[in-house]
Amino acid sequence: MNDIQNQSDLYLLVDEFYKKLLSDSSISYIFTDVVKIKIEEHLPILVTFWSQVILGTGGYTNNLTQIHLDVNAKEYLSPELFKIWLHHFNTAVDENFRGEKAEQIKTQALNIATIMQIKIAQNKV
């Protein structure tokens, strides 16, 4: 199994990850009912984000924190939802990749989930 090397690898990862999320009724409603994402538009944005984080390519200009705070304003993003999100993310990585970048992306996902939960908790006060 290869490590994450390019944007094609990241597209595969994000696509597999979202298949898992959208087939899990305990979290899929966030994407289908609350946010109503159009997956074909959403995937390239996520690939750009992860490419910037893992490959240093740049190009992601959205405010990740604000996006999650806006979603949280519509539907509480509980710690349990973040656990489910991380589980599916890590599983998608582990099923498709091995290596330094694969480990790095899982660590980054954990960091992002942790920061988002802190920001959500701070925003409640």
Side-chain angles (χ1 to χ4, degrees), residues 2-60:
N2 293 328
D3 200 359
I4 298 167
Q5 298 174 13
N6 53 44
Q7 288 191 334
S8 295
D9 290 342
L10 289 169
Y11 192 91
L12 169 72
L13 171 60
V14 171
D15 188 48
E16 290 298 314
F17 170 52
Y18 267 79
K19 285 176 185 169
K20 292 178 185 314
L21 284 178
L22 295 174
S23 66
D24 182 341
S25 62
S26 64
I27 195 169
S28 63
Y29 71 96
I30 296 290
F31 303 95
T32 57
D33 301 339
V34 177
V35 181
K36 298 181 176 139
I37 63 164
K38 292 180 176 76
I39 197 70
E40 64 281 351
E41 294 172 12
H42 194 57
L43 288 183
I45 294 167
L46 293 171
V47 169
T48 300
F49 171 78
W50 285 113
S51 182
Q52 178 169 302
V53 170
I54 297 303
L55 304 175
T57 55
Y60 184 82

Side-chain angles (χ1 to χ4, degrees), residues 101-117:
K101 297 281 186 206
E103 293 306 311
Q104 182 185 356
I105 204 168
K106 291 190 293 183
T107 300
Q108 285 296 101
L110 175 59
N111 291 344
I112 291 165
T114 302
I115 290 166
M116 291 304 140
Q117 289 177 81

Side-chain angles (χ1 to χ4, degrees), residues 70-111:
D70 292 347
V71 173
N72 186 68
K74 296 176 185 178
E75 179 75 24
Y76 176 55
L77 298 178
S78 68
E80 182 59 30
L81 287 172
F82 280 100
K83 280 177 64 176
I84 295 165
W85 183 91
L86 273 172
H87 168 74
H88 288 308
F89 190 85
N90 289 338
T91 300
V93 173
D94 291 342
E95 287 176 351
N96 293 283
F97 301 100
R98 291 276 185 276
E100 186 179 328
K101 297 281 186 206
E103 293 306 311
Q104 182 185 356
I105 204 168
K106 291 190 293 183
T107 300
Q108 285 296 101
L110 175 59
N111 291 344

